């Protein structure tokens, strides 16, 4: 029979509903694939075999009882390890939370499970999501399935790699400055960062509360659309004051013709030094694919985008300092033993529980929020945020989506980018979208000459038009498929077919 | 140390209050749906939100927002439609997130005021030269309110190993998060208070107002209403503020008054001896009747305040504010005036009854049973009821009617009230059973009067000679002769009539 | 006006992150480098520009009803204490606060 990594989410749910195979068989095949492939990928921090088999058994029981199955029935899904799931630890890849047992389940996780998905584990990430390569995980690195000597990107590197290596069909990540889109592009999978507020943040350990957004990874736009349907089903989450209703079917119009749609490009950005020729070529390929389908390419401008990095590295660290203040070793988290005073215990627990980057971000934030400094940086940064948001609003007057790179280059080698501020600069193309709170998606468009690493483009859209965004993404995917440059559903060659046979 | 009144002749005290009030009448906490608890076992009512667990998010309690808007309307504040919650950071484990969710520069309620009526002994604290007083020496002090903002209360900490559970010397501390996240409103006055008495009256009036709104049980003892006092002094005639100290651990109106009195006198002594008053927080020790330094504040704390990104902004609609306005009941001052105007109560009785919503409810129920005896009911409610444990409004009404028609004396009324306290007995019945009802049959009484006058010829002569006081003795004789069943007032009248003939 | 090591030590004390002298040096260099990256923010004329603290459009007045445990989230004691490093009886436990300032508010 088929290998689990060759099936789309829809095929798995349909196959289970039809009785071609059971959810338990799918779960077993998935655990087998993980067993065989994990040595090479190291995408997971924790594999929850028991939870997976338990959930799968429930799905099979429902079918046996003639009950209707969810749209993601039996579909194996992995969760970034900053999402709570009762029965698992939630470590944020940090010593601080090494032994933290989830005391509740995140809304996004719950909704995937409600849709029938089978939870198979928690994936690796940059510590507390501070990073772009997953190298800052306190536990181990995660390898890029396309070349294990390269980073998977980050911070949701584990979630992207697990899908790229065919270990799971779907995964969830979180995106504060590009943490879904960039690893998706590095790993050759589709990754969507929905509009801020479209997906509940309840139960997801916060980094930048006004920037964080949860979204899905999949090997095709359709799988990502199915995951989005599950995440927005049930309307706004009353447990998240910033969540909003997004009552749309992400799959319904996916196959509609893109003819007449307008996609904006930013000429100035294409000339950005540091943008590799290959990435630029990938953009050209996507543009051609869209034009072939009658999509009109228009030129737009985001005049304040250059300041997005500065605004981001004011807002992000400030909110991070504030959000991570609760880790004092008292109610949870690492507690330094043998301290005489509370002050000593707090300062040493935080010093030894947090990694270097987590400490840097908090120190920067603690400085930026200080009296006197706040008015110099934080307040103006939020004003610049207004300008950037207006830029986007203006741009979307003349287009349905904007196409731009995800990252200046394809995945780099481990240790290649070590200087933190140099790492920050690589977020240039993804960050402005978090500042504005709009949706963005990364779509594979081929492989780099020589390295064979995946190439991708990023599409960004107006607030709460994420379904339209996926329609454009599907058009790119469809067009690229026609050129054989990249086939949707492709699993990294080194891992495809390794374990995971559906018995 | 000099006495307060002496000090206040040369020095002007400048007092501001910060009053924290827990919204104890709500069902749940400020940002989560945990039960509000006051005496539950430690950490019984906690959830990921109020324990500050990673990933938890706050959602504001609508009823709490309505309550603070009502508090603002009741204290003549401007309700600000547009405001944010802010995060106020400080590392201390009684705040589970290590920041407190509170409000920023704009609070829900801004720029209100309350007018204090200062009278009696307390009014003497304020030198006559500094305020316009009426014939009785009473005066009105208008006190401005800077703001009332919404925030969350902290956890309770028990300090182990130190003296009297004090933090000093404690070897460890235990934390109970039941109280963490309890809705708390903080009212900040402008520095308009000039005497400890004014401060005490302000707190009392605020408590009466909040009790009437029904937003809190306002218990200073239990800490659901807490007050910090800031006080500085300056030479009379000068305008520059002196260095202020902050008074903590004030858990009664008396403590508030006495702590401020002590601190004013202490500061005056320090300054008059050429010393310096340091900006510091001081702790009131009721037992030793003094304040001691808790902490010297060299620099202002930097709380890294910024708008909480997890909480959407507020943009209160006119409808929302209006619906709150409609739920503000008749407030103590208005109630007092109504009692004076429509029932002719004494102003002091009226304000005493109007000041406590429970007493006011009791009074208003009682007068429905005996509309004719309203003043007597007020008199009984103010002077007799406080000493009882469980008398009903109906009993008080029935008793008051007896008093009103002179069927019993006030002394008997107290006795009867004690008898019916805790029972369902009707005072009328008790009075009759015990033959306490006094005769108002003038013919019967007249006979007694004649008998007594015939007996006490000396006193009669003394009266005619001008010693009218002997009537008291004669009334006593009549009472004795009638074995207490005659009405003393009537005896008095009849005796005078006869003696004047 | 770059941050000095004393400035950074002060921030570390406030943020309750103990740093070794060596770490302090690195941190100081990093922070000054990071702050350079933020300068574009200061070159704007932002007169009359409203800040965007929440990227949520017109969403406002989000509130919940005053209903006990409406979401069934309240935790059993053992779960509430399960991740704590130190507890005693029903309470979380911390070492002596002596010398701590946060205590007074």
């Amino acid at each position: 029979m088929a290998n689990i990594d060759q099936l789309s989410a829809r095929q798995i749910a349909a196959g289970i509903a039809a009785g071609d195979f059971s959810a338990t068989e799918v779960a077993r095949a998935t655990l087998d694939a993980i067993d065989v492939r994990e040595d090479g990928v190291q995408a997971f921090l924790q594999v929850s075999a028991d939870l997976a088999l338990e959930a799968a058994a429930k799905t099979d029981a429902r079918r046996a009882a003639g009950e209707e199955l969810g749209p993601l029935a039996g579909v194996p899904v992995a969760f970034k390890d900053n999402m709570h799931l009762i029965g698992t630890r939630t470590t944020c890849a940090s010593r601080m939370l090494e032994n933290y047992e989830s005391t509740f389940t995140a809304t996004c996780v719950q909704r995937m499970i409600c849709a029938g998905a089978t939870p198979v584990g928690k994936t690796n990430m940059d510590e507390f999501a501070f990073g772009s390569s997953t190298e800052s995980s306190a536990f181990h690195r995660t390898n890029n399935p396309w070349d294990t000597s390269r980073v998977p990107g980050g911070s949701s590197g584990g979630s992207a790699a697990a899908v790229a290596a065919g270990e799971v069909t779907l995964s969830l990540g979180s995106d504060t400055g590009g943490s879904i889109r960039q690893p998706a592009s590095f790993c050759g999978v589709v990754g969507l960062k929905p509009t801020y507020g479209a997906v509940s943040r309840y139960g997801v350990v916060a980094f930048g509360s006004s920037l964080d957004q949860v979204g899905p990874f999949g090997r095709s736009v359709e799988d990502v659309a199915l995951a989005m349907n599950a995440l927005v089903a049930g309307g706004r989450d009353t447990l998240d004051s910033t969540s909003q209703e997004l009552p749309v079917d992400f799959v319904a119009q996916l196959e509609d013709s893109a003819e007449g749609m307008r996609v904006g490009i930013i000429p100035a950005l294409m000339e950005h030094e540091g943008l590799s020729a290959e990435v630029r070529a990938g953009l050209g390929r996507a543009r051609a694919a869209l034009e072939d389908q009658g999509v009109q390419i228009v030129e737009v401008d985001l005049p304040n985008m250059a300041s997005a990095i500065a605004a981001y590295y004011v807002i992000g660290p400030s909110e991070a300092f504030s959000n991570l203040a609760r880790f004092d070793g008292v109610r949870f988290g690492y507690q330094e033993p043998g301290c005489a005073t509370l002050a000593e215990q707090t300062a040493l627990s935080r010093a030894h529980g947090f990694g270097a980057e987590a400490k840097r971000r908090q120190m920067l934030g603690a400085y930026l929020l200080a009296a006197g400094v706040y008015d110099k940086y934080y307040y103006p940064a939020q004003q610049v945020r207004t300008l950037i948001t207006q830029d986007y609003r203006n741009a979307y007057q003349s287009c349905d989506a904007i196409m731009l790179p995800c990252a200046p280059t394809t995945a780099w080698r481990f240790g290649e980018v070590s200087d933190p501020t140099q790492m920050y600069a690589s977020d240039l193309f993804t960050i402005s979208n978090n500042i504005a709170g709009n949706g963005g998606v990364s779509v594979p468009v081929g492989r780099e000459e020589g390295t064979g690493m995946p190439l991708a483009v990023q599409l960004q859209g107006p607030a709460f038009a994420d379904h339209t965004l996926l329609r454009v993404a599907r058009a790119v995917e469809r067009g690229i498929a026609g050129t054989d440059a990249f086939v949707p559903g492709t699993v990294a060659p080194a891992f495809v077919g390794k374990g995971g046979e559906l018995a | 140390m000099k006495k307060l009144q002496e000090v206040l002749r040369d020095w002007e005290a400048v007092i501001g209050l910060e009053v924290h009030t827990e919204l104890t009448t709500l069902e749940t906490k400020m940002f989560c749906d945990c039960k509000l608890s006051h005496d539950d076992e430690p950490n019984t009512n906690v959830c990921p939100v109020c324990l500050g667990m990673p990933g938890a998010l706050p959602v504001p309690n609508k009823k709490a927002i309505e309550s603070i808007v009502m508090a603002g309307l009741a204290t003549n504040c401007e309700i600000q439609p547009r405001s944010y919650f802010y995060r106020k950071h400080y590392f201390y484990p009684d705040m589970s997130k290590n920041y407190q969710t509170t409000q920023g520069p704009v609070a829900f309620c801004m720029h209100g005021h309350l007018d204090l009526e200062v009278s009696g002994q307390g009014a003497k604290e304020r030198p006559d030269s500094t305020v316009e007083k009426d014939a009785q020496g009473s005066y009105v002090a208008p006190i401005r309110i800077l703001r009332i903002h919404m925030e969350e209360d902290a956890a309770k900490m028990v300090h182990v190993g130190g003296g009297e559970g004090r933090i000093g010397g404690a070897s460890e501390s235990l934390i109970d998060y039941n109280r963490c996240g309890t809705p708390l409103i903080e009212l900040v006055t402008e520095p308009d208070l000039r005497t400890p008495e004014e401060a005490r009256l302000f707190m009392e009036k605020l408590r009466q107002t909040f009790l009437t709104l029904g937003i809190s049980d306002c218990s200073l003892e239990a800490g659901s209403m807490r007050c910090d006092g800031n006080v500085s002094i300056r030479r009379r005639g000068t305008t520059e503020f002196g260095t202020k100290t902050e008074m903590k651990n004030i858990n009664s109106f008396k403590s508030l008054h006495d702590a401020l009195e002590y601190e004013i006198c202490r500061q005056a002594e320090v300054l008059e001896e050429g010393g310096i008053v340091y900006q510091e927080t001081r702790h009131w020790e009721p037992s030793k009747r003094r304040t001691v330094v808790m902490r010297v504040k060299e620099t202002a704390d930097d709380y890294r305040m910024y708008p909480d990104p997890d909480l959407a902004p507020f943009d209160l609609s006119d409808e929302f504010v209006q619906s709150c306005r409609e739920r503000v009941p008749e407030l103590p001052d208005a109630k007092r005036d109504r009692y004076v105007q429509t029932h002719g109560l004494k102003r002091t009785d009226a304000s005493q009854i109007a000041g406590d919503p429970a007493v006011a409810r009791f009074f208003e129920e009682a007068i429905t049973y005996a509309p004719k005896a309203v003043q007597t009911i007020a008199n009984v409610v103010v002077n007799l009821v406080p000493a009882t444990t469980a008398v009903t409004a109906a009993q008080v009404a029935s008793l008051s009617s007896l008093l009103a028609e002179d069927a019993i004396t006030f002394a008997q009324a107290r006795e009867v009230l004690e008898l019916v306290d805790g029972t369902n007995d009707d005072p009328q019945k008790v009075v009759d059973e015990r033959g306490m009802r006094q005769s108002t049959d003038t013919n019967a009484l007249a006979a007694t009067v004649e008998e007594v006058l015939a007996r006490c010829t000396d006193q009669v002569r003394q009266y005619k000679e001008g010693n009218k006081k002997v009537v008291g003795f004669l009334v006593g004789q009549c009472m004795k002769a009638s074995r207490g069943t005659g009405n003393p007032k009537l005896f008095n009248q009849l005796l005078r009539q006869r003696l004047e003939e | 006006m770059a941050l000095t090591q004393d400035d950074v030590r002060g921030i570390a004390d406030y943020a309750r992150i103990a740093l070794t002298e060596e770490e302090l040096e690195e941190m100081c260099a990093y922070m000054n480098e990071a702050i350079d990256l933020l300068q574009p923010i200061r070159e704007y004329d932002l007169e009359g520009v409203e800040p965007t603290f929440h990227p949520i459009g017109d969403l406002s007045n989000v509130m919940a009803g005053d209903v006990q445990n409406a979401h069934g989230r309240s935790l059993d004691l053992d779960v509430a204490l399960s991740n704590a490093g130190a507890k005693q009886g029903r309470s979380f436990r911390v070492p002596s606060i002596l010398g701590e300032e946060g205590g007074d508010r």
Side-chain angles (χ1 to χ4, degrees), chain B residues 185-196:
Chain B
I185 62 176
E186 177 176 355
L187 179 146
V188 183
T189 73
E190 298 282 2
D192 289 353
L193 298 152
R194 292 290 173 267
T195 67

mmCIF file of all heavy atoms in Angstrom, chain B residues 185-196:
data_model
loop_
_atom_site.group_PDB
_atom_site.id
_atom_site.type_symbol
_atom_site.label_atom_id
_atom_site.label_comp_id
_atom_site.label_asym_id
_atom_site.label_seq_id
_atom_site.Cartn_x
_atom_site.Cartn_y
_atom_site.Cartn_z
ATOM 1 N N ILE B 185 -10.303 48.638 42.332
ATOM 2 C CA ILE B 185 -10.308 50.004 41.793
ATOM 3 C C ILE B 185 -9.502 50.884 42.730
ATOM 4 O O ILE B 185 -9.623 50.785 43.953
ATOM 5 C CB ILE B 185 -11.741 50.562 41.590
ATOM 6 C CG1 ILE B 185 -12.499 50.643 42.904
ATOM 7 C CG2 ILE B 185 -12.502 49.708 40.583
ATOM 8 C CD1 ILE B 185 -13.887 51.273 42.755
ATOM 9 N N GLU B 186 -8.632 51.703 42.145
ATOM 10 C CA GLU B 186 -7.812 52.606 42.950
ATOM 11 C C GLU B 186 -8.254 54.036 42.717
ATOM 12 O O GLU B 186 -8.243 54.527 41.589
ATOM 13 C CB GLU B 186 -6.329 52.471 42.620
ATOM 14 C CG GLU B 186 -5.477 53.475 43.419
ATOM 15 C CD GLU B 186 -3.966 53.333 43.203
ATOM 16 O OE1 GLU B 186 -3.556 52.396 42.495
ATOM 17 O OE2 GLU B 186 -3.216 54.171 43.743
ATOM 18 N N LEU B 187 -8.671 54.692 43.808
ATOM 19 C CA LEU B 187 -9.052 56.100 43.743
ATOM 20 C C LEU B 187 -7.907 56.934 44.309
ATOM 21 O O LEU B 187 -7.367 56.617 45.366
ATOM 22 C CB LEU B 187 -10.329 56.345 44.544
ATOM 23 C CG LEU B 187 -10.850 57.792 44.600
ATOM 24 C CD1 LEU B 187 -12.379 57.798 44.639
ATOM 25 C CD2 LEU B 187 -10.287 58.556 45.792
ATOM 26 N N VAL B 188 -7.525 57.973 43.571
ATOM 27 C CA VAL B 188 -6.460 58.862 44.005
ATOM 28 C C VAL B 188 -7.030 60.274 44.142
ATOM 29 O O VAL B 188 -7.609 60.805 43.202
ATOM 30 C CB VAL B 188 -5.292 58.876 42.993
ATOM 31 C CG1 VAL B 188 -4.154 59.762 43.488
ATOM 32 C CG2 VAL B 188 -4.793 57.458 42.729
ATOM 33 N N THR B 189 -6.899 60.863 45.338
ATOM 34 C CA THR B 189 -7.416 62.222 45.523
ATOM 35 C C THR B 189 -6.331 63.236 45.145
ATOM 36 O O THR B 189 -5.150 62.909 45.097
ATOM 37 C CB THR B 189 -7.792 62.500 46.999
ATOM 38 O OG1 THR B 189 -6.570 62.630 47.751
ATOM 39 C CG2 THR B 189 -8.631 61.380 47.575
ATOM 40 N N GLU B 190 -6.748 64.451 44.892
ATOM 41 C CA GLU B 190 -5.783 65.550 44.814
ATOM 42 C C GLU B 190 -5.382 65.855 46.262
ATOM 43 O O GLU B 190 -6.099 65.484 47.190
ATOM 44 C CB GLU B 190 -6.446 66.783 44.186
ATOM 45 C CG GLU B 190 -6.924 66.575 42.744
ATOM 46 C CD GLU B 190 -5.783 66.650 41.734
ATOM 47 O OE1 GLU B 190 -4.622 66.834 42.143
ATOM 48 O OE2 GLU B 190 -6.071 66.495 40.531
ATOM 49 N N PRO B 191 -4.253 66.521 46.486
ATOM 50 C CA PRO B 191 -3.822 66.792 47.872
ATOM 51 C C PRO B 191 -4.641 67.925 48.483
ATOM 52 O O PRO B 191 -4.121 68.982 48.812
ATOM 53 C CB PRO B 191 -2.347 67.189 47.706
ATOM 54 C CG PRO B 191 -2.259 67.744 46.331
ATOM 55 C CD PRO B 191 -3.280 67.011 45.501
ATOM 56 N N ASP B 192 -5.936 67.706 48.632
ATOM 57 C CA ASP B 192 -6.854 68.755 49.078
ATOM 58 C C ASP B 192 -7.244 68.633 50.540
ATOM 59 O O ASP B 192 -7.903 69.517 51.087
ATOM 60 C CB ASP B 192 -8.135 68.721 48.229
ATOM 61 C CG ASP B 192 -7.888 69.212 46.816
ATOM 62 O OD1 ASP B 192 -6.760 69.694 46.559
ATOM 63 O OD2 ASP B 192 -8.791 69.092 45.973
ATOM 64 N N LEU B 193 -6.892 67.521 51.170
ATOM 65 C CA LEU B 193 -7.282 67.322 52.571
ATOM 66 C C LEU B 193 -6.316 68.055 53.481
ATOM 67 O O LEU B 193 -5.112 68.075 53.230
ATOM 68 C CB LEU B 193 -7.297 65.822 52.876
ATOM 69 C CG LEU B 193 -8.298 65.026 52.036
ATOM 70 C CD1 LEU B 193 -7.840 63.592 51.844
ATOM 71 C CD2 LEU B 193 -9.680 65.068 52.668
ATOM 72 N N ARG B 194 -6.853 68.703 54.553
ATOM 73 C CA ARG B 194 -6.021 69.554 55.402
ATOM 74 C C ARG B 194 -5.925 69.079 56.842
ATOM 75 O O ARG B 194 -5.091 69.554 57.599
ATOM 76 C CB ARG B 194 -6.559 70.994 55.361
ATOM 77 C CG ARG B 194 -6.391 71.670 53.994
ATOM 78 C CD ARG B 194 -4.920 71.968 53.704
ATOM 79 N NE ARG B 194 -4.708 72.455 52.353
ATOM 80 C CZ ARG B 194 -4.405 71.677 51.304
ATOM 81 N NH1 ARG B 194 -4.268 70.372 51.476
ATOM 82 N NH2 ARG B 194 -4.231 72.191 50.107
ATOM 83 N N THR B 195 -6.795 68.166 57.253
ATOM 84 C CA THR B 195 -6.727 67.658 58.637
ATOM 85 C C THR B 195 -6.986 66.152 58.640
ATOM 86 O O THR B 195 -7.641 65.624 57.733
ATOM 87 C CB THR B 195 -7.802 68.308 59.541
ATOM 88 O OG1 THR B 195 -9.103 67.855 59.094
ATOM 89 C CG2 THR B 195 -7.756 69.829 59.457
ATOM 90 N N PRO B 196 -6.493 65.457 59.672
ATOM 91 C CA PRO B 196 -6.765 64.015 59.800
ATOM 92 C C PRO B 196 -8.268 63.740 59.792
ATOM 93 O O PRO B 196 -8.716 62.750 59.207
ATOM 94 C CB PRO B 196 -6.140 63.649 61.145
ATOM 95 C CG PRO B 196 -5.046 64.646 61.323
ATOM 96 C CD PRO B 196 -5.571 65.927 60.719
#
